[in-house]
Amino acid sequence: MAVDYAVIVVYLAGMLAMGWWGMRRARSKSEFLVAGRRLGPAMYSGTMAAIVLGGASTIGGVGLGYQYGLSGAWMVFTIGLGLLALSVFFSARIARLKVYTVSEMLDLRYGGRAGVISGVVMWAYTLMLAVTSTIAYATIFDVLFDMNRTVAIILGGSIVVAYSTLGGMWSITLTDMVQFVVKTIGVLLLLLPIAVVKAGGFSEMKAKLPTEYFDPLGIGGETIFTYVLIYTFGMLIGQDIWQRVFTAGSDRTAKWGGTVAGTYCLVYAVAGAVIGTAAKVLYPDLGSPDDAFATIVKDELPVGVRGLVLAAALAAVMSTSSGALIACATVANNDIWSKLRGAVRRDETEKDEVRDNRLFILVMGVAVIVTAIALNNVVEALTVAYNLLVGGLLVPILGGLLWRRGTAQGALASVVVGGLAVVGLMAGYGILANEPIYYGLLSSLVVYVVVSLATPATDAAVLDAWRERLSGRAVPEPVPVSR
């Protein structure tokens, strides 16, 4: 294992080095939070794919393949579909807004009265998303070092907090590019073919497993529909995803770079399901489907390759964790704290804003690590996160983009009713039930339409300013000169 350990140590050291390098570039709010809004297509595609494909997509995707066969690809597949829809239909308009958070978009569209409440919902989503990624460190470090769960979470979480705090989005972008390459090599080019060969090839897999393992819809139509509601729609509105869209250097980059990333997600989804299916042939009696990834890596891969694939799993977890962490801190500072404390000081400089955002990343990072230690069930935490996001914010966000008659009162009512309905229904039906997202989303939609039609239309001046920003004709913020 010495070679495997060396690969992991070099990888982790590289992440910290990139954080230190990114610190030199992040000297303004724009550079720190959205990488100066100037990423090109290649870097944008890699970082977008890295942020959406995390531990749940890698370890969880293989686990679903182990449990259901090829149809286990649907969870990650719907994530890819959501990213494609976002990139093709919405990303160019989102990028033109030149904002930092989803709540700022709602304030622009509805006249400045939706921010704090929507910010709280988005903060809860990003916090839980960061927590789920941080919990996943325990699985990986347990395989590597037989490490105590709490120590593993502190170690992995501290590295992410360190490089995210140092360089903000520049550090995260650079590390995500490395993580994208490592994931591609480790999972797609190494683990996938080795797993299939070790299982005897597809003919042997078909001979040893029930036919439903090769049914594309074997996981069930209702489950697939729920995945679409939660993950496909969740990709359209998450702060962690939008904050990456804000980094695009142009409308074209946001649209086509995101389309490439979404297509990559579809391939990754199928690969994870195939790996899990192969693991079912090799280890038919594992205690938990989520053990499939770690087991096949530990037992079937040669020295060195094993370390690289485990680094790929770390890369998947770290990319999602760092993206969710900076999103959580950005929302906490810009949408909640700044509005609760009142107007920003007139003498506050770019340096002060970077310092404040850096402090919030550090504080939120500590909160994420502490929460991850206290919780244990990754699936439940992730379900809570996406139920809150989709149930509370999908309707007012898409309504604002697509329906001129939507009003601030309708948006606020939709956020409150949808969010409370989801929470109440999860308490009644159970966190993993389908009913909370079905009825929560429906109640949010009904309230949004009814209240919007019952209240005065949004002021024409607000809508005119909104259309100017969407068109890109409004004067953008100045882009700082790269040093």
Side-chain angles (χ1 to χ4, degrees), residues 107-286:
D107 280 347
L108 278 173
R109 167 60 180 81
Y110 294 111
R113 288 172 287 179
V116 174
I117 294 177
S118 62
V120 170
V121 175
M122 188 64 77
W123 173 81
Y125 155 72
T126 53
L127 178 71
M128 294 305 292
L129 185 61
V131 166
T132 60
S133 300
T134 304
I135 291 173
Y137 295 129
T139 300
I140 299 169
F141 283 114
D142 178 59
V143 174
L144 278 171
F145 309 115
D146 193 23
M147 187 178 290
N148 174 270
R149 177 181 181 276
T150 299
V151 175
I153 289 173
I154 292 174
L155 175 60
S158 297
I159 292 171
V160 170
V161 172
Y163 72 69
S164 301
T165 302
L166 285 172
M169 187 59 81
W170 268 121
S171 294
I172 292 171
T173 297
L174 294 169
T175 54
D176 276 359
M177 278 304 299
V178 175
Q179 289 158 354
F180 171 75
V181 172
V182 171
K183 274 193 291 193
T184 301
I185 295 173
V187 175
L188 297 185
L189 301 183
L190 293 176
L191 182 58
L192 174 61
I194 290 173
V196 172
V197 170
K198 291 283 187 178
F202 286 104
S203 58
E204 188 70 14
M205 290 162 62
K206 287 184 177 180
K208 290 186 175 181
L209 294 174
T211 55
E212 55 263 28
Y213 263 72
F214 301 92
D215 179 359
L217 303 179
I219 199 170
E222 184 178 359
T223 298
I224 295 171
F225 180 65
T226 302
Y227 283 159
V228 170
L229 284 184
I230 294 177
Y231 297 115
T232 301
F233 287 128
M235 289 296 107
L236 299 180
I237 58 175
Q239 169 67 26
D240 53 322
I241 310 302
W242 278 40
Q243 200 156 341
R244 296 310 174 96
V245 175
F246 300 151
T247 66
S250 67
D251 294 356
R252 184 178 178 83
T253 295
K255 182 175 182 179
W256 295 111
T259 301
V260 171
T263 305
Y264 178 90
C265 292
L266 303 183
V267 175
Y268 201 88
V270 175
V274 171
I275 293 168
T277 305
K280 184 66 175 179
V281 173
L282 295 168
Y283 312 100
D285 300 314
L286 290 179

Side-chain angles (χ1 to χ4, degrees), residues 338-467:
S338 63
K339 292 180 180 179
L340 292 178
R341 72 171 181 170
V344 178
R345 301 193 317 270
R346 292 182 179 179
D347 61 343
E348 190 167 45
T349 65
E350 289 277 15
K351 185 177 179 180
D352 294 329
E353 290 185 313
V354 171
R355 180 204 61 205
D356 291 346
N357 281 291
R358 186 171 278 137
L359 177 62
F360 266 85
I361 290 178
L362 180 60
V363 172
M364 290 297 106
V366 172
V368 165
I369 292 171
V370 171
T371 307
I373 292 171
L375 295 179
N376 191 37
N377 193 310
V378 178
V379 175
E380 288 190 358
L382 192 66
T383 302
V384 170
Y386 274 97
N387 280 354
L388 279 173
L389 176 69
V390 175
L393 292 176
L394 177 68
V395 170
I397 291 172
L398 293 189
L401 289 169
L402 300 174
W403 191 39
R404 178 185 173 88
R405 188 60 181 81
T407 66
Q409 294 89 341
L412 285 171
S414 177
V415 172
V416 173
V417 171
L420 291 177
V422 164
V423 172
L425 290 166
M426 282 193 293
Y429 285 98
I431 290 176
L432 299 179
N434 293 326
E435 287 82 1
I437 191 62
Y438 293 167
Y439 300 136
L441 191 55
L442 179 62
S443 64
S444 178
L445 176 61
V446 170
V447 168
Y448 179 73
V449 172
V450 170
V451 175
S452 291
L453 292 176
T455 52
T458 305
D459 186 86
V462 172
L463 289 177
D464 288 341
W466 166 253
R467 283 195 296 271

